[in-house]
Amino acid sequence: MDIRTIFANMSWLATSQIITSILAFFWTIFTARYLGVNDYGILGFVVSLSAMFAIISDLGQSTHIVRSVSVDYSKARDYLGNAIPFKSLLSVVYILVILFVLLITDSSEITILIGLLFAFESVIKNFCSLFYGVFQAHEKGSYQAIANTILNVLTFVFIILAIYIDAGLWGITWAYIFANVACIVYTVYILCKHFEVPKIQFDFGFWKQLAIFGFPFALTTIFYTIYYSIDIFMLNQIIGDFATGIYNATYKLINVLTLFYSIYTAVFFPVMSKLYAKEKSMLKTTLSKSIKYLSLITVPIAIWVMIYSPDIIQFIYGNQYAQASIVLNVLIWTVVFLFINGAASNSLNASHKEYSVTKIYVIAAIFNVILNLILIPEYSYIGASVATVLSEILIFVLEIYALHKLNLSPNKGLIADTLKIVVASIVMGSALYFAHLSMWVAIPVAIIVYLVVGFVIKMFDNDDIYVIKQIIGR
């Protein structure tokens, strides 16, 4: 793959991600306002449940197929021919598992039916992921980007239509399903026209091979999914739909901010991989700069959100979600640590220490479950929020330790830089707090105060100023 191909694929996928995040932001607002806290809690629960067990219908096959087919395109026929029936069988098992969990958790009839429909939607998504794997292996990211754009544009349109005709929770559910059906129709069309017409095979030895080689990827996915989904599931089971709706509304806002994390990962992971292979010291420098620049953005945002969280929730969701402002005050700090941890994870992955990352997330998932069991019964959605932030802090500590063992710890100057960022952010926050400005006026004022204080305390060194000049084209 040459550089032009890398950046062409990156541009397609980044553009698709931006469109997706913008549309998801708006349909989240419309859905939450339309359904109300209780029904939105049901929606959050079934989506979380379907995500937690979705790996059953894949077992890591898609990732394994990308790696194998990218080396030898001729393998696509056998992999697809066997993966399709194997995934179909696994999908039946997956839906039965979802039904079993819904029954043993004593879910209401509507929750069970909506849950099964979202399980079906998840199956469609997993088949799309399988076909995306072929696109990725052939370095054709544009097809995946177009499919994602179709999916999310149609999801937005169908949700608006469901709200317009007042179709309730059922209408919102079918909106997701219809959009995924359209996406897989397009994906299959592109697959058959440009790559391979799948021919079903029942080579059980090959199925076994898919399961064995896909298992390490499945294991990682399991703990990632548990870590990011278990809080909503536990909150629903321990407290109920209302608390889940409050928490889920805030969590969706946090997810929108991860757009920037996705773009960062897409840009810097290949760079870090090359640096590790060529010059280890440069990887260490890149990590330090990455953490600094990510902190420069996320820390002041977190301070600003804490001051204006009631206004943000009121503007986005309305009075019925007023209690979510407390959750937002806590969860916003997951964004700070998510970005920093992402930079650390990229460095470990680039250093071929992906199993270390997996172990860290296994520990974090167990830690998160224990904390939720302790905090949710007493503190409801606030407890779930605190558990999430503390889990991110644990990941940060473990990843820094893992980097230290590889002699890749961030430069010592990063500590001084971080303190300056915190000081500038606190001064900015104090100015906003005592000035009593409106949320919108506060944005430009916050930027000006933050930058002025930053330059006064020399938060930006010569390298940073050079980067800023390059960004603005000077």
Side-chain angles (χ1 to χ4, degrees):
M1 180 189 287
D2 61 26
I3 297 299
R4 284 177 297 179
T5 303
I6 293 173
F7 280 95
N9 284 327
M10 188 185 301
S11 298
W12 276 101
L13 293 173
T15 301
S16 173
Q17 184 61 49
I18 290 170
I19 294 171
T20 296
S21 295
I22 293 172
L23 292 175
F25 175 73
F26 284 106
W27 86 54
T28 295
I29 296 172
F30 297 149
T31 302
R33 280 178 170 265
Y34 172 66
L35 291 179
V37 179
N38 283 308
D39 278 356
Y40 196 59
I42 294 174
L43 180 66
F45 169 66
V46 296
V47 169
S48 176
L49 178 66
S50 62
M52 278 202 311
F53 292 95
I55 191 61
I56 294 174
S57 63
D58 184 75
L59 293 183
Q61 293 178 56
S62 299
T63 307
H64 170 58
I65 289 171
V66 173
R67 188 172 66 178
S68 299
V69 175
S70 62
V71 176
D72 185 354
Y73 293 161
S74 65
K75 293 180 179 180
R77 180 184 297 271
D78 289 336
Y79 272 101
L80 281 176
N82 283 283
I84 290 173
F86 189 28
K87 280 178 71 74
S88 299
L89 176 62
L90 293 174
S91 296
V92 173
V93 176
Y94 163 66
I95 292 175
L96 291 175
V97 169
I98 293 293
L99 176 60
F100 175 75
V101 173
L102 289 167
L103 291 174
I104 64 171
T105 53
D106 198 26
S107 299
S108 65
E109 182 178 347
I110 187 172
T111 302
I112 292 173
L113 295 174
I114 296 294
L116 290 175
L117 286 174
F118 267 99
F120 176 66
E121 183 245 12
S122 182
V123 168
I124 299 174
K125 279 185 176 178
N126 271 324
F127 273 99
C128 284
S129 295
L130 172 64
F131 303 142
Y132 290 166
V134 178
F135 302 162
Q136 293 167 16
H138 285 81
E139 302 168 12
K140 297 294 182 181
S142 59
Y143 293 127
Q144 180 179 346
I146 292 170
N148 279 331
T149 303
I150 290 173
L151 170 63
N152 290 286
V153 168
L154 289 180
T155 300
F156 179 78
V157 171
F158 290 148
I159 285 177
I160 296 301
L161 180 61
I163 293 173
Y164 178 76
I165 64 176
D166 195 20
L169 182 55
W170 290 102
I172 299 296
T173 302
W174 283 108
Y176 281 97
I177 293 174
F178 290 151
N180 276 276
V181 168
C183 178
I184 199 169
V185 168
Y186 167 80
T187 305
V188 170
Y189 169 75
I190 293 298
L191 178 72
C192 295
K193 182 178 180 180
H194 296 288
F195 300 99
E196 188 77 43
V197 178
K199 293 184 179 179
I200 303 303
Q201 301 178 38
F202 292 90
D203 184 341
F204 298 115
F206 203 97
W207 291 20
K208 182 179 179 181
Q209 178 185 340
L210 285 173
I212 291 173
F213 286 103
F215 180 74
F217 301 112
L219 188 63
T220 301
T221 303
I222 288 170
F223 285 101
Y224 267 70
T225 306
I226 289 175
Y227 176 71
Y228 286 110
S229 301
I230 194 65
D231 47 1
I232 294 178
F233 176 82
M234 294 177 68
L235 188 60
N236 182 272
Q237 293 302 300
I238 297 172
I239 305 297
D241 293 334
F242 183 86
T244 307
I246 293 293
Y247 184 80
N248 188 45
T250 310
Y251 210 86
K252 291 294 185 184
L253 291 182
I254 300 301
N255 285 342
V256 171
L257 292 175
T258 60
L259 158 69
F260 302 101
Y261 169 71
S262 300
I263 293 175
Y264 162 81
T265 300
V267 172
F268 278 93
F269 178 62
V271 173
M272 287 180 164
S273 297
K274 291 176 183 177
L275 288 175
Y276 180 77
K278 294 181 179 180
E279 184 56 60
K280 200 171 181 179
S281 62
M282 283 299 296
L283 174 59
K284 189 173 182 178
T285 301
T286 302
L287 171 62
S288 297
K289 286 297 184 183
S290 294
I291 292 176
K292 178 178 180 178
Y293 295 152
L294 291 170
S295 300
L296 276 169
I297 297 170
T298 56
V299 173
I301 288 176
I303 296 291
W304 180 84
V305 167
M306 287 188 70
I307 294 171
Y308 290 98
S309 59
D311 299 311
I312 295 170
I313 294 298
Q314 169 66 30
F315 174 75
I316 294 175
Y317 291 124
N319 288 328
Q320 60 183 330
Y321 288 91
Q323 297 174 53
S325 64
I326 303 173
V327 181
L328 183 57
N329 279 341
V330 180
L331 277 184
I332 189 60
W333 291 100
T334 64
V335 176
V336 176
F337 285 101
L338 176 67
F339 277 53
I340 295 173
N341 293 342
S345 294
N346 276 340
S347 295
L348 289 170
N349 286 328
S351 306
H352 305 289
K353 294 295 180 181
E354 56 272 15
Y355 277 104
S356 296
V357 177
T358 300
K359 290 176 184 177
I360 288 170
Y361 273 88
V362 169
I363 295 170
I366 296 171
F367 179 73
N368 186 257
V369 169
I370 294 172
L371 274 183
N372 277 312
L373 284 172
I374 295 171
L375 297 176
I376 287 178
E378 186 70 26
Y379 302 105
S380 187
Y381 44 73
I382 298 175
S385 306
V386 171
T388 300
V389 175
L390 290 178
S391 298
E392 287 290 341
I393 293 173
L394 175 63
I395 291 173
F396 169 74
V397 172
L398 294 175
E399 289 193 327
I400 293 299
Y401 175 71
L403 289 167
H404 176 72
K405 289 176 64 178
L406 293 172
N407 196 29
L408 287 174
S409 301
N411 298 329
K412 292 182 179 179
L414 181 62
I415 297 176
D417 289 335
T418 302
L419 289 174
K420 292 176 182 178
I421 292 169
V422 171
V423 169
S425 299
I426 291 174
V427 172
M428 177 206 76
S430 300
L432 296 178
Y433 180 80
F434 290 108
H436 300 291
L437 301 173
S438 71
M439 179 174 68
W440 301 113
V441 174
I443 295 174
V445 172
I447 294 172
I448 293 170
V449 172
Y450 180 65
L451 292 177
V452 169
V453 175
F455 277 106
V456 169
I457 64 176
K458 297 182 179 180
M459 187 168 66
F460 306 101
D461 58 27
N462 291 333
D463 291 336
D464 303 331
I465 294 172
Y466 173 79
V467 170
I468 292 171
K469 287 181 177 179
Q470 290 297 306
I471 291 173
I472 63 178
R474 292 184 59 185

